[in-house]
Amino acid sequence: MIELLTVDTPNGKKISIMLEKIKFKYKITKININKDEQFNPEFKKLSPFSKIPVIIDHDANINIFESGAILIYLGEKSEKFYNKDQRMIINQWLMGQMAYVGPMLGQHHQFHHYNPGKSEFGENRYFKISERIYKELDERLSVSKFLAGNDYTIADIATFPWIARHEWHDIGLKNYVNLKRWYKKISSRQAVKKGYDLLQKGEEIPKV
Ligand SMILES: N[C@@H](CCC(=O)N[C@@H](CS)C(=O)NCC(=O)O)C(=O)O
């Protein structure tokens, strides 16, 4: 049994989507970051940076923080979506998501979606960077079916929930034909739909 300590954000959804895809039994423990529950000493023992998501694998008696590390762990354990022969290319796209795509789109959410009008500089900077990310992902997907090649991998699983916030981005996903094709394909999968609706509130994946 895997326990997923999380909140309903793109970083949290990465893990619920993975758990649905690999069909592992799991339960969700909600950490309310709006009420600062991430700073509770018990949670901090599991997550030194006080961030979700975290998993506890109760069978293996191990806990893991950082969504990329969690995806690698689950990919290795299930032997799915993290093919041994393709790990170097998968790692590159996964690290790119962790270090660039997620953090930059996250800043775009802060300036453009949550706090518009507070900083023109911040809004412009992260709008442009986000546009660039759409273009770069689109270029990659013009020559590759999925991010790391022909197979759907943990790199796609990590990136998808961020692009699923496209309505907040106001960049126009429909104009990026390759990224749109990738997004629609992944969106149509039953396990992805279920994992996306992390809190089981009937949340649907935004359409293009
Ligand atoms: N690099 C981390 C980022 C996780 C992250 O930013 N989590 C946010 C929610 S999406 C969080 O827990 N924020 C609470 C805080 O920073 O206090 C990962 O991918 O796991």
Side-chain angles (χ1 to χ4, degrees):
M1 155 71 81
I2 304 278
E3 183 175 353
L4 168 58
L5 296 89
T6 193
V7 69
D8 195 12
T9 62
N11 287 322
K13 285 178 192 293
K14 290 175 190 174
I15 311 304
S16 49
I17 290 172
M18 178 68 173
L19 287 163
E20 289 293 338
K21 291 293 297 180
I22 60 180
K23 299 189 173 71
F24 275 15
K25 266 182 81 176
Y26 68 100
K27 72 165 186 178
I28 288 179
T29 300
K30 283 191 252 172
I31 303 295
N32 191 336
I33 59 174
N34 296 323
K35 291 194 176 155
D36 282 350
E37 286 177 6
Q38 72 274 32
F39 299 114
N40 288 350
E42 280 312 302
F43 184 73
K44 242 195 127 194
K45 275 188 207 154
L46 304 172
S47 183
F49 296 123
S50 294
K51 295 200 185 295
I52 65 86
V54 166
I55 63 162
I56 305 174
D57 182 341
H58 288 283
D59 301 325
N61 203 14
I62 183 173
N63 42 267
I64 306 164
F65 66 95
E66 276 296 319
S67 61
I70 297 171
L71 289 173
I72 289 174
Y73 175 78
L74 294 173
E76 284 177 348
K77 184 164 172 134
S78 64
E79 297 183 7
K80 286 188 180 142
F81 312 119
Y82 193 44
N83 191 319
K84 275 206 172 79
D85 306 333
Q86 291 158 11
R87 283 192 184 167
M88 197 40 72
I89 180 90
I90 298 170
N91 288 348
Q92 290 171 64
W93 286 98
L94 178 66
M95 297 304 144
Q97 189 291 313
M98 295 296 300
Y100 174 52
V101 175
M104 295 299 114
L105 292 180
Q107 292 305 312
H108 183 43
H109 293 174
Q110 287 303 322
F111 286 102
H112 181 81
H113 180 75
Y114 290 117
N115 298 288
K118 289 208 178 141
S119 164
E120 199 183 328
F121 172 79
E123 281 183 55
N124 289 341
R125 173 174 165 82
Y126 292 105
F127 190 91
K128 274 196 200 128
I129 294 177
S130 301
E131 231 176 6
R132 182 175 149 185
I133 288 172
Y134 271 50
K135 187 165 170 281
E136 288 159 343
L137 291 174
D138 191 67
E139 279 166 4
R140 170 61 179 165
L141 293 165
S142 72
V143 295
S144 184
K145 195 167 163 197
F146 291 102
L147 289 173
N150 263 335
D151 301 326
Y152 176 71
T153 70
I154 56 172
D156 301 291
I157 293 175
T159 307
F160 176 80
W162 285 96
I163 300 303
R165 288 277 197 252
H166 62 89
E167 287 167 336
W168 293 10
H169 300 157
D170 281 331
I171 290 171
L173 178 55
K174 64 178 185 317
N175 302 321
Y176 296 79
V177 288
N178 307 293
L179 186 58
K180 183 173 90 176
R181 184 245 322 137
W182 171 90
Y183 180 76
K184 285 180 85 165
K185 188 166 185 62
I186 297 173
S187 301
S188 68
R189 296 178 174 175
Q190 217 42 49
V192 176
K193 288 184 187 175
K194 198 159 171 224
Y196 190 85
D197 185 20
L198 186 149
L199 297 181
Q200 297 182 345
K201 286 181 171 167
E203 186 185 1
E204 290 185 10
I205 298 173
K207 297 203 168 43
V208 194

